[in-house]
Amino acid sequence: MRDPGISVVICVYTENRWEDILAAVSSVRAQSYPALETLLVVDHNAALLERLTREYQEAVGVRVLANAGPRGLSAGRNTGIAASHGEVIAFLDDDAVAERDWLRRFAEGYADPRVMAVGGRTVPIWASGRRPAWFPEEFDWVVGCTYRGLPPGRARVRNVLGGNASFRRTAFEAAGGFATGIGRDGDRRPLGCEETELCIRLTRARPDAVLLIDDRAVIHHRVPEPREHFAYFRTRTYAEGLSKALVTRSVGAGKGLETERRYTTRVLPAGVARGVRDALRGRPGGAGRAGAIVAGVLTAAGGYVMGSVRARRGGTTLSVVRIEGERPTVARAYGSKGNAHE
């Protein structure tokens, strides 16, 4: 297997996750397939930037740098891409740890030159020690984890999931970087879908591109106690609807909702039926899971409608950056009509 050279980017924003950040970096440094480098991108937090710089000032292969763009996860990732040297760039959440063969599984996927992205499987670590009885596996994406309904093994997908993903550098050269104006911004409203929009844009720029997930590329993602409650579930599903509206304005509803149609017409009804069946058999949480699925669909739909209205009114602009040199620059922006301009 040829060594593609993998840079790992970890975006960080708060000192509240200090121990998690150290654990994430340690898991990368312990890989059976060594990373070329690990880049910690700090999102507009001078105190955290200084503290991490001191922590890793003598560490070989670890670099700490400031987000060179606007606040938010997308700009942080773009900063890491521009500063990295690997042929492949992998992304790891700052509150996750990777299993020892994580990068090895990614590298194996790139043996095929058509492969432009490889994602993995993200397993939740519940703060309470176990999954809440009411929480359906079909909605594990709410807490940033792999959900029921994704194909097993190594399989082609429309998009990878951002917290456990990798891309060939040429993917960004072809399609640009992550769009700003979408995705997370620290602890504010938990938007997402920035990796979905990028992957769709990539396959449009490179119709021959292959995107994979490999469920052997495993990370373990911490789920804090507040995210185990229905209030967060409701907030996150609503935000997903808002995000999906932005994606469809950018890339169209055909591709923007392609995977979601199968998910809502096949995976979720099966989940409701399973929950009802468990309830009838007296198993704990069955009715709660069925109800949560229905509530999640309705809340996401409400967010989608609201996001579509806001987009039509011109309330949001997505900016796609060009990755050149060591600083991302805006290549084009998508306004309320979804039209690109330089």
Side-chain angles (χ1 to χ4, degrees), residues 37-317:
E37 59 187 345
T38 302
L39 290 82
L40 287 167
V41 183
V42 183
D43 193 17
H44 297 270
N45 184 329
L48 180 58
L49 178 67
E50 181 181 355
R51 188 177 179 186
L52 284 170
T53 300
R54 290 197 307 268
E55 178 72 22
Y56 291 107
Q57 61 185 345
E58 297 181 3
V60 177
V62 179
R63 286 192 283 153
V64 180
L65 54 154
N67 180 2
R71 186 183 300 275
L73 182 57
S74 290
R77 287 172 172 166
N78 292 335
T79 297
I81 296 164
S84 65
H85 299 106
E87 180 184 332
V88 170
I89 300 97
F91 299 94
L92 179 66
D93 277 347
D94 63 347
D95 53 354
V97 292
E99 290 192 1
R100 181 171 169 76
D101 289 333
W102 177 60
L103 291 181
R104 181 174 299 280
R105 301 308 182 188
F106 280 171
E108 290 172 355
Y110 291 104
D112 182 343
R114 300 174 302 161
V115 173
M116 290 287 112
V118 183
R121 177 163 57 95
T122 303
V123 179
I125 304 174
W126 302 97
S128 62
R130 61 180 181 179
R131 171 186 297 274
W134 64 269
F135 202 112
E137 292 183 22
E138 291 81 2
F139 275 81
D140 276 6
W141 55 263
V142 165
V143 291
C145 295
T146 300
Y147 57 91
R148 183 193 291 265
L150 287 176
R154 182 189 287 178
R156 291 188 68 164
V157 291
R158 180 196 64 181
N159 63 274
V160 296
L161 303 181
N164 179 9
S166 63
F167 293 84
R168 226 184 262 279
R169 179 174 299 279
T170 51
F172 301 112
E173 294 171 358
F178 290 92
T180 59
I182 190 172
R184 283 184 178 266
D185 178 2
D187 288 320
R188 299 181 184 181
R189 174 167 283 169
L191 299 171
C193 295
E194 66 276 10
E195 67 276 0
T196 301
E197 193 273 342
L198 170 62
C199 289
I200 295 172
R201 195 167 8 104
L202 171 59
T203 52
R204 286 185 169 177
R206 290 282 303 271
D208 61 332
V210 174
L211 283 62
L212 301 174
I213 56 170
D214 187 336
D215 64 10
R216 300 171 301 168
V218 180
I219 70 169
H220 298 265
H221 185 267
R222 188 178 299 279
V223 180
E225 191 272 339
R227 297 187 183 184
E228 295 188 6
H229 297 287
F230 185 73
Y232 179 81
F233 181 91
R234 184 178 61 241
T235 300
R236 178 67 184 89
T237 51
Y238 181 78
E240 184 73 3
L242 294 174
S243 302
K244 281 292 188 297
L246 293 177
V247 170
T248 56
R249 297 297 288 181
S250 172
V251 300
K255 277 291 185 182
L257 297 176
E258 180 181 55
T259 298
E260 288 73 16
R261 290 191 183 96
R262 176 189 174 277
Y263 174 73
T264 54
T265 59
R266 298 184 185 181
V267 175
L268 295 185
V272 171
R274 191 162 38 248
V276 171
R277 184 171 62 248
D278 285 348
L280 293 175
R281 293 175 178 175
R283 295 173 180 170
R289 290 192 297 275
I293 291 173
V294 174
V297 171
L298 294 176
T299 307
Y304 182 83
V305 171
M306 181 59 68
S308 298
V309 170
R310 290 178 181 175
R312 284 196 296 270
R313 291 176 177 173
T316 305
T317 298

